[in-house]
Amino acid sequence: QVQLVESGGGVVQPGRSLRLSCAASGFTFSNYGMHWVRQAPGKGLEWVALISYDGSNKYYTDSVRGRFTISRDNSKNTLYLQMNSLRAEDTAVYYCAKDTAPYCSSTSCYGVLDYWGQGTLVTVSS
Amino acid sequence: EIVLTQSPATLSLSPGERATLSCRASQSVSSYLAWYQQKPGQAPRLLIYDASDRATGIPARFSGSGSGTDFTLTISSLEPEDFAVYYCQQRTNWPWTFGQGTKVEIK
């Protein structure tokens, strides 16, 4: 069965960096786009970033563009989110999620998330 | 950015009752709208995609309808496990956005 397991969360000071990982299993990871979605404590869901199946296309929400980098290693079935210059407003549970669309390279076919990890909490505080 | 407004914020119902949740978009999203269910401490679960298609394994009591700017999620007869928060989400324009959620609570 499909499993997504995030790791790397924790408490970090403002301005510092953190790298999240998401280990995937139970499906052909290299065929599917992958996402990071976050949820601030007690709040709703916010899209963070998307990477195409082959890593050639990446998309970010405005609030993280230039600070966060999404990447993937298809040989290790792992998704990453490098978060730099962290701010208090980045505090959230970060979920990785699998897209339903295989072999897609643009936002026009992505956007339905059928499997999610359990999330990892990132707390930015001094 | 497309804004999705969900109503009501909270729906208080009893098991066996029908639940009707609304999602309105600030501009047309065609049929590119999904619904997710989230229970406390858990990740969201995909229920409906492209406005009316049920995801794999989702019971038939969940149905979606609508197009353009107005969408509805209907739960025909609430089961105890259906009490949760429900989010709509559009994938027409990047960045994809979610509604603020509707909490379905036990009356």
Side-chain angles (χ1 to χ4, degrees):
Chain A
Q1 73 280 21
V2 173
Q3 275 201 308
L4 298 169
V5 180
E6 301 96 336
S7 60
V11 180
V12 61
Q13 293 179 328
R16 304 299 290 264
S17 299
L18 207 59
R19 188 177 84 154
L20 306 183
S21 299
C22 171
S25 60
F27 66 104
T28 306
F29 180 73
S30 58
N31 289 357
Y32 293 91
M34 296 293 296
H35 306 256
W36 288 101
V37 177
R38 67 184 179 183
Q39 186 170 35
K43 301 296 184 182
L45 299 165
E46 180 186 25
W47 230 292
V48 175
L50 155 68
I51 186 167
S52 60
Y53 69 101
D54 59 357
S56 62
N57 292 284
K58 304 174 184 180
Y59 304 88
Y60 301 93
T61 194
D62 285 349
S63 61
V64 309
R65 188 177 294 114
R67 299 188 300 123
F68 290 11
T69 301
I70 189 171
S71 62
R72 65 192 297 158
D73 186 336
N74 285 345
S75 68
K76 295 182 178 179
N77 290 346
T78 302
L79 174 73
Y80 302 101
L81 185 68
Q82 177 67 42
M83 304 185 294
N84 298 333
S85 303
L86 282 161
R87 307 166 180 168
E89 55 264 35
D90 296 319
T91 294
V93 174
Y94 285 73
Y95 296 101
C96 69
K98 169 190 168 292
D99 200 280
T100 57
Y103 303 117
C104 178
S105 294
S106 74
T107 58
S108 64
C109 44
Y110 284 127
V112 179
L113 278 54
D114 57 353
Y115 291 96
W116 298 60
Q118 84 289 350
T120 188
L121 176 61
V122 173
T123 303
V124 184
S125 174
S126 54
Chain B
E1 178 174 304
I2 295 177
V3 176
L4 299 178
T5 303
Q6 293 186 239
S7 62
T10 304
L11 199 52
S12 298
L13 295 168
S14 300
E17 289 194 294
R18 182 184 189 89
T20 303
L21 288 67
S22 174
C23 177
R24 176 164 289 178
S26 60
Q27 64 187 79
S28 176
V29 298
S30 185
S31 294
Y32 297 131
L33 190 106
W35 292 91
Y36 297 83
Q37 176 194 67
Q38 187 178 33
K39 297 178 182 178
Q42 296 186 18
R45 177 174 72 143
L46 176 67
L47 298 175
I48 301 286
Y49 64 96
D50 292 350
S52 60
D53 292 333
R54 266 192 308 277
T56 302
I58 301 304
R61 63 180 182 274
F62 291 93
S63 63
S65 64
S67 66
T69 60
D70 290 295
F71 299 86
T72 300
L73 174 70
T74 301
I75 310 171
S76 59
S77 178
L78 282 163
E79 297 288 338
E81 61 268 28
D82 299 336
F83 292 92
V85 178
Y86 292 83
Y87 294 95
C88 58
Q89 170 249 317
Q90 65 82 21
R91 65 181 185 94
T92 295
N93 287 350
W94 181 263
W96 299 314
T97 47
F98 293 89
Q100 82 281 12
T102 289
K103 181 179 182 180
V104 179
E105 66 176 22
I106 300 176
K107 186 175 182 179

